[in-house]
Amino acid sequence: MKNVVVESSRKIIHVDMDCFYAAVEIRDDPSLKGKPVAVGGRPDQRGVLTTASYEARKYGLRSAMPSARAVKLCPDLILLPLNFDKYRAESQKVRAIFHRFTEVVEPLSLDEAYLDVTKSEYFDGSATKIAAEIRRQIFEETRLTASAGIAPNKFLAKVASDWKKPNGQFTIAPAMVEQFVKGLKVEKIPGVGKVTARKMHDSNIFTCADLQALSFTQLKKEFGVWGARLYDLCRGIDERPVEVDAERKSISVEYTYNQDLRTVQECLDKLPELYDDFVARIQKYKAGESIRSLFVKIKFFDFKQTTLESSRTRIPSLETFREMIAAAVKRQNKAVRLIGIGARLATPHEADRSEDDTQLTFAIDVSESTR
Ligand code: DCP
Ligand code: MG
């Protein structure tokens, strides 16, 4: 017989600022209001958009789209350069507001965070009212709008914050979960990207209800270890805690090769693939602005390893990693079994950290490995 563990109900809020970088720019220059605005790199320098205003999104503009394509789709686009110091400052104001309601705050990026308000006594413990008040205070103090999702777990809170975007909020009460997830499209499940969605559609799986019809064993067979998680998610179950200080201190990718790489050139030939993966991760976690230094890790055939770190540049270009890998391999000049490339990040708190505030030295190092 299966043990049934009843999850005591939590109250999680996911707050996500509306077209954050663009909203900051529009606030600071009201003449931009109502116009298609994007923030990003220049089209002639292979730049990409970080975000676009809702007017610009009507033209199909999206985060991570090459700026050159964006100006083609929307010739009237006002493309502004990035102003990270400004976004960081706003982000800190918003975080200070979160902390008025709970200490259990997990920032995901400059504009997004999870809050666990289960134990909060404000508004008689109504998470819906707390979220409304947080959004009100954000607007009052920054003139920026935020959306919020309120639910018994992180997965549903994040889905919910997108439900009434922009400048809205949506609550999925525990009693609604079962009904709500049944109609939820599989694309809304974290980890279901385009490829997985297509694969599911090919098997006539479009909603979480369709996924629920598959057994645990079938899901494991179809999706490997991830199938187990999928089994929970499609039922609206997600027990991940809101983790305070779980911010990433570094992001890296590393590959172990089936056959040792015998020369520096062989190592360099592998770099573009690693690099693409790395850049995708930096984008996924919106970490580009917080890079403080770059590093490479080389493990030789005899398992001896060396790492080389450089803060000479914060721009993680292919060329920089090429130089670093060549230098690291040459240290021992032996066959290589693993290459890793990565970036160390500043946490958003770091910018406002005072000199003697050393207890904020972050101990958590979440570097992800692939393969
Ligand atoms: N960002 C980025 N690169 C990406 C995606 C986002 O640099 N690939 C930056 C710019 C955004 C901010 O992070 O303003 C927040 O990202 P969101 O995905 O939350 O997007 P927005 O806040 O811009 O829009 P939305 O209103 O959909 O939340
Ligand atoms: Mg946002």
Side-chain angles (χ1 to χ4, degrees):
M1 210 182 91
K2 210 177 157 208
N3 283 329
V4 181
V5 181
V6 181
E7 189 190 357
S8 62
S9 196
R10 294 179 294 154
K11 295 174 190 170
I12 310 297
I13 303 177
H14 178 254
V15 182
D16 190 326
M17 303 295 292
D18 302 321
C19 52
F20 185 49
Y21 299 175
V24 174
E25 299 299 341
I26 295 166
R27 176 198 67 185
D28 293 346
D29 178 358
S31 76
L32 299 172
K33 228 176 163 169
K35 294 184 182 155
V37 173
V39 178
R42 289 174 38 180
D44 56 346
Q45 293 177 353
R46 306 210 301 155
V48 294
L49 303 189
T50 61
T51 187
S53 68
Y54 285 90
E55 288 77 12
R57 289 182 199 192
K58 288 183 199 148
Y59 295 83
L61 272 50
R62 295 282 176 271
S63 305
M65 174 183 277
S67 305
R69 182 166 145 70
V71 291
K72 266 189 208 133
L73 287 172
C74 178
D76 294 333
L77 182 68
I78 302 168
L79 181 60
L80 302 168
L82 286 146
N83 239 315
F84 282 126
D85 290 342
K86 225 158 70 168
Y87 315 142
R88 219 174 277 129
E90 296 312 313
S91 175
Q92 273 160 19
K93 287 183 208 161
V94 171
R95 271 186 213 171
I97 295 171
F98 297 155
H99 282 277
R100 291 173 194 162
F101 296 87
T102 173
E103 279 314 302
V104 192
V105 176
E106 179 182 337
L108 295 179
S109 68
L110 286 183
D111 94 319
E112 243 180 285
Y114 289 113
L115 285 66
D116 185 330
V117 296
T118 311
K119 296 202 178 116
S120 185
E121 282 162 5
Y122 291 91
F123 301 102
D124 289 330
S126 161
T128 299
K129 287 185 183 157
I130 293 173
E133 178 61 14
I134 287 173
R135 293 174 46 242
R136 194 191 66 74
Q137 293 188 11
I138 291 176
F139 188 71
E140 187 171 286
E141 293 170 39
T142 68
R143 296 282 135 191
L144 298 168
T145 63
S147 298
I150 303 96
N153 61 49
K154 284 179 161 184
F155 161 44
L156 294 174
K158 186 152 178 158
V159 170
S161 72
D162 212 32
W163 221 246
K164 292 281 161 75
K165 221 172 205 320
N167 199 15
Q169 68 175 60
F170 184 61
T171 302
I172 304 172
M176 288 163 64
V177 170
E178 201 182 325
Q179 199 54 34
F180 182 85
V181 287
K182 283 204 170 122
L184 194 66
K185 293 206 171 76
V186 290
E187 286 86 339
K188 298 283 182 187
I189 300 176
V192 177
K194 273 195 194 127
V195 177
T196 311
R198 199 170 310 133
K199 184 175 158 189
M200 289 179 177
H201 294 172
D202 287 346
S203 319
N204 262 325
I205 298 166
F206 295 92
T207 64
C208 286
D210 298 334
L211 272 177
Q212 285 178 16
L214 300 184
S215 71
F216 189 78
T217 318
Q218 281 172 311
L219 283 170
K220 287 266 275 208
K221 193 165 151 248
E222 261 328 288
F223 302 99
V225 272
W226 187 57
R229 175 131 177 85
L230 211 45
Y231 182 87
D232 280 346
L233 289 174
C234 73
R235 289 171 172 74
I237 298 170
D238 174 19
E239 298 193 355
R240 287 173 302 160
V242 174
E243 290 181 279
V244 180
D245 275 347
E247 292 176 71
R248 276 157 202 282
K249 258 200 100 192
S250 70
I251 289 182
S252 62
V253 289
E254 50 183 58
Y255 290 2
T256 300
Y257 298 98
N258 290 336
Q259 281 192 328
D260 292 344
L261 310 170
R262 312 225 139 252
T263 61
V264 172
Q265 190 54 48
E266 274 183 46
C267 294
L268 295 180
D269 290 345
K270 297 290 184 194
L271 180 59
E273 192 193 358
L274 263 154
Y275 182 73
D276 284 349
D277 242 25
F278 171 75
V279 169
R281 260 165 220 240
I282 290 283
Q283 286 190 343
K284 179 171 168 207
Y285 296 109
K286 301 173 201 160
E289 76 271 22
S290 37
I291 294 178
R292 286 295 169 268
S293 66
L294 305 173
F295 62 90
V296 301
K297 170 173 151 189
I298 301 290
K299 201 182 270 179
F300 296 99
F301 77 96
D302 55 2
F303 288 85
K304 294 250 162 52
Q305 75 177 49
T306 184
T307 53
L308 191 152
E309 183 154 347
S310 166
S311 50
R312 198 164 43 90
T313 171
R314 291 175 179 181
I315 300 164
S317 71
L318 193 57
E319 194 45 44
T320 302
F321 281 125
R322 279 179 72 86
E323 285 170 18
M324 290 172 73
I325 284 178
V329 174
K330 280 176 193 158
R331 280 176 175 174
Q332 302 204 10
N333 253 329
K334 292 187 288 208
V336 168
R337 69 186 314 268
L338 172 150
I339 305 178
I341 64 175
R344 285 194 209 291
L345 310 176
T347 65
H349 298 303
E350 205 166 74
D352 63 349
R353 185 165 90 187
S354 65
E355 289 298 326
D356 53 359
D357 202 359
T358 44
Q359 81 272 24
L360 275 176
T361 324
F362 297 89
I364 301 163
D365 191 343
V366 191
S367 63
E368 296 193 352
S369 302
T370 52
R371 289 178 208 186

